[in-house]
Amino acid sequence: MAPLIFALPGNEKLAQSFSEATGAKIGNWNHRRFPDGEFYLRIESPVQGKTIVIVSSLKDPDEKITPLIFLSSTLRDLGAEKIILLAPYLAYLRQDIRFQEGEGITSRYFAKLHSEWFDGIVTVDPHLHRYTSLNEIYSIPTKVVPAAPEISEWIRMNISRPLVIGPDQESGQWVSQVATGTGTPSLILEKTRKGDREVEIHFPKLDSWKGHTPVIVDDIISSAKTMITTVSHLKKLGFPSVVCIGVHPIFAGNSYEELLAAGAEKVVTCNTISHSSNQIDLSRILAAAVKEFLPL
Ligand code: R5P
């Protein structure tokens, strides 16, 4: 039986491209907030015995979790057989250990919740640092889609003489794949985080790279301080044009505008979170991943 797609608000565009790429239909549902803020929903498409794909990127996860739980519970109550969450951006992976006494290891709690409400998760480049795989915390099947091949393709088509730069050790995993895919040189910088919105980045000598276009690649752009600090330094070193590529464009507050103001010539992101900077469309590879996972 063909699966049905349900999209949480803000994910309609990705759900539509996903539907076109797979041929799966989009299910109808009605939802709104009561005046007191509580969530109302009503499923309007038949779901009995069906496989459902819920599309919801998890930026601002706290406001999405109740609608997701209610949607999944209602679909199950109405007889849906299998419910897969397609969350191109998966939140709450940062707190993967107790850094200080008394802290919650929220990545584990979030994963436990999802493992209860869904039968599987498909996501793009989750921010795994101390975990080697999502399976360490999710007890349901998970599938990770790498954005690197599409990013490499974008760089190949748009940038001449790129130098792919990772702003910190953690970005090394993505940067090496992207550089291999583009067949270009890369280097990884050293970052010290001083606070939620303050980072210090240490640069090696870059004189021998003059004539290249620095392309900074990172997984998440949140406060954008990592990108801003790197761009500003590269501009001071005399690189005329600096390009920033992010997999997950969170862009908290005015950080996108601040990054442009810092002198980034181009800011390009993948459509794991809907944003005006989305230029790298992952719907085709996401559709292939979900197909492999189900199969559709
Ligand atoms: C951290 O390790 C991540 O890879 C990103 O570098 C980080 O999340 C970026 O955060 P921000 O945009 O707030 O500097």
Side-chain angles (χ1 to χ4, degrees):
M1 203 181 295
L4 260 189
I5 304 167
F6 285 86
L8 244 67
N11 295 272
E12 295 81 1
K13 220 165 135 189
L14 181 61
Q16 187 56 43
S17 330
F18 178 72
S19 157
E20 282 159 18
T22 57
K25 294 223 160 22
I26 299 192
N28 293 323
W29 66 308
N30 236 317
H31 52 84
R32 62 186 168 87
R33 295 265 176 195
F34 288 109
D36 60 3
E38 290 187 1
F39 189 71
Y40 167 89
L41 78 161
R42 178 170 179 232
I43 307 290
E44 294 173 337
S45 299
V47 297
Q48 176 74 38
K50 295 213 170 179
T51 293
I52 307 291
V53 177
I54 298 180
V55 183
S56 177
S57 201
L58 291 174
K59 182 192 173 196
D60 300 323
D62 297 1
E63 61 192 50
K64 297 204 171 102
I65 198 76
T66 316
L68 274 177
I69 290 174
F70 288 173
L71 177 56
S72 156
S73 304
T74 310
L75 290 165
R76 270 204 218 287
D77 272 357
L78 296 174
E81 197 182 293
K82 199 171 190 186
I83 304 176
I84 305 299
L85 177 64
L86 171 56
Y89 170 64
L90 194 55
Y92 276 117
L93 282 163
R94 188 175 308 177
Q95 198 75 23
D96 54 4
I97 54 165
R98 210 183 302 286
F99 295 94
Q100 295 188 50
E101 204 182 325
E103 286 179 349
I105 308 175
T106 47
S107 53
R108 287 194 180 278
Y109 317 147
F110 196 68
K112 194 169 167 220
L113 262 182
H114 277 92
S115 300
E116 232 169 84
W117 299 106
F118 304 104
D119 300 306
I121 292 199
V122 178
T123 191
V124 177
D125 292 331
H127 186 78
L128 297 177
H129 185 194
R130 276 157 283 256
Y131 299 129
T132 51
S133 110
L134 286 176
N135 299 338
E136 279 183 46
I137 49 173
Y138 282 80
S139 58
I140 50 174
T142 58
K143 181 152 186 77
V144 168
V145 177
E150 306 295 314
I151 294 177
S152 299
E153 176 65 10
W154 187 92
I155 295 175
R156 269 199 305 271
M157 302 302 289
N158 293 281
I159 308 292
S160 65
R161 301 200 75 203
L163 166 66
V164 180
I165 296 182
D168 54 26
Q169 292 298 322
E170 283 160 79
S171 63
Q173 48 185 312
W174 299 285
V175 166
S176 63
Q177 290 174 44
V178 169
T180 306
T182 42
T184 52
S186 66
L187 57 94
I188 305 292
L189 306 175
E190 253 179 63
K191 177 171 93 180
T192 313
R193 187 166 280 284
K194 303 274 182 173
D196 286 349
R197 289 169 194 272
E198 197 190 341
V199 297
E200 207 172 84
I201 297 186
H202 310 274
F203 284 75
K205 280 215 167 312
L206 294 178
D207 299 346
S208 56
W209 296 111
K210 289 282 165 69
H212 283 74
T213 303
V215 181
I216 312 165
V217 176
D218 205 355
D219 61 337
I220 299 172
I221 311 180
S222 176
S223 70
K225 292 298 179 212
T226 300
M227 286 286 185
I228 291 171
T229 309
T230 313
V231 169
S232 308
H233 198 93
L234 288 166
K235 298 288 287 185
K236 266 192 215 139
L237 291 178
F239 288 92
S241 81
V242 180
V243 176
C244 299
I245 301 185
V247 178
H248 304 298
I250 292 183
F251 287 120
N254 292 328
S255 54
Y256 176 61
E257 290 72 22
E258 288 166 12
L259 178 54
L260 292 174
E265 189 194 317
K266 284 195 178 91
V267 178
V268 172
T269 62
C270 302
N271 59 340
T272 63
I273 297 169
S274 178
H275 188 265
S276 58
S277 60
N278 291 163
Q279 278 193 46
I280 303 174
D281 181 13
L282 302 184
S283 30
R284 194 184 52 80
I285 52 170
L286 278 172
V290 177
K291 262 185 184 167
E292 230 180 273
F293 197 64
L294 286 176
L296 292 176

